[in-house]
Amino acid sequence: MTAFAINPPETPSIAIEGDKKRFPVRRIFCVGRNYAAHAREMGADPDREPPFIFMKPADAVCDDGGTIPYPPLTNDLHHEIELVIALSKGGSNISEEEALGHVWGYGVGLDMTRRDLQAEAKKKGRPWDWGKGFDHSAICAALRPIVDNGHPESGRIWLNVNDVHRQEGDLGDQIWKPAEIIAFCSRSVRLEPGDLIMTGTPEGVGAVVEGDRLVGGIDGIGEINVTIGNQQA
Ligand code: MN
């Protein structure tokens, strides 16, 4: 046993549908601009620039079903509804053919974004971390293991805010499919069990304010709901 100078931090985790056990989270990879219509609404040309990867810290994850605080430093907190992939098996240079064999299950997630900080970072050529990697920025509904449902190839993905329809798309419109994303990431780093991948958001992203109630879902995968609380001190 390794002796630590302070108590080691708890392992971040998310709930599993119908199970008391939780899924331990090692890292969170995120795909940027993986739906053409969303790439265009962000001012990019999906025909000229492929999707790309950024990250959030593992302890940005939190369960859905409750209230998350409105984060500090922003006046433009955006929702991004996304399919989440949870890996049970690691590896380097995973082929696209083998990639789905590394998947433990799938879930519905919200990649919460401090859009004003992200926009400033883009303008100044700085990293996106402060816009993307804050506390409670990776909200995940309970994961579902693939034993029941297989691997989704299509399915409606949507989000309502206060019962008003905001985001709408289909998993079939993803530019990079889950197998391609896993293969791509594994060529850059060795993937490990517990890694999550948030696979990008369809069009219709927008701001939320204190008191807003977000409800979204992906056909065949599940639903997510969360309320935005007061701004953190
Ligand atoms: Mn996103």
Side-chain angles (χ1 to χ4, degrees):
M1 282 282 280
T2 308
F4 293 107
I6 61 168
N7 288 331
E10 264 181 52
T11 301
S13 65
I14 47 183
I16 297 169
E17 184 74 32
D19 199 331
K20 284 198 185 108
K21 291 200 282 282
R22 294 177 62 82
F23 188 87
V25 177
R26 186 171 191 277
R27 288 173 295 191
I28 307 172
F29 298 90
C30 303
V31 185
R33 296 180 203 145
N34 200 24
Y35 292 78
H38 171 65
R40 289 192 193 98
E41 78 179 346
M42 297 307 293
D45 179 352
D47 297 323
R48 299 184 54 156
E49 188 197 1
F52 53 90
I53 303 293
F54 62 92
M55 298 190 70
K56 292 175 187 261
D59 65 0
V61 286
C62 68
D63 290 322
D64 82 324
T67 298
I68 63 147
Y70 192 101
L73 297 184
T74 184
N75 292 302
D76 197 20
L77 177 66
H78 274 213
H79 52 75
E80 297 189 356
I81 184 86
E82 310 206 354
L83 172 72
V84 179
I85 307 170
L87 298 184
S88 56
K89 212 173 126 190
S92 300
N93 297 312
I94 299 166
S95 69
E96 284 176 27
E97 294 69 34
E98 291 171 328
L100 296 182
H102 296 247
V103 175
W104 182 86
Y106 295 92
V108 185
L110 279 163
D111 164 14
M112 300 306 290
T113 301
R114 295 191 284 206
R115 194 72 75 199
D116 41 4
L117 297 194
Q118 184 199 32
E120 189 187 354
K122 282 182 187 173
K123 202 164 69 186
K124 293 182 175 168
R126 290 179 182 166
W128 283 16
D129 308 39
W130 246 213
K132 287 288 193 177
F134 52 93
D135 297 341
H136 309 101
S137 64
I139 308 163
C140 284
L143 294 175
R144 296 194 180 181
I146 52 164
V147 278
D148 323 321
N149 304 312
H151 299 278
E153 290 177 0
S154 63
R156 184 173 171 247
I157 175 169
W158 58 276
L159 180 79
N160 291 351
V161 178
N162 302 330
D163 297 322
V164 177
H165 195 51
R166 289 272 189 97
Q167 288 194 261
E168 176 76 40
D170 193 285
L171 296 182
D173 294 332
Q174 289 191 327
I175 298 169
W176 285 353
K177 312 300 181 196
E180 295 171 279
I181 300 167
I182 293 165
F184 180 85
C185 288
S186 78
R187 292 197 291 272
S188 178
V189 295
R190 186 185 162 80
L191 292 174
E192 297 291 349
D195 286 339
L196 297 183
I197 305 172
M198 304 189 82
T199 61
T201 198
E203 66 185 305
V205 300
V208 294
V209 297
E210 292 175 2
D212 279 353
R213 181 173 159 75
L214 285 62
V215 179
I218 304 174
D219 283 358
I221 304 290
E223 291 205 354
I224 189 168
N225 73 82
V226 72
T227 300
I228 307 298
N230 295 331
Q231 187 147 27
Q232 279 177 336

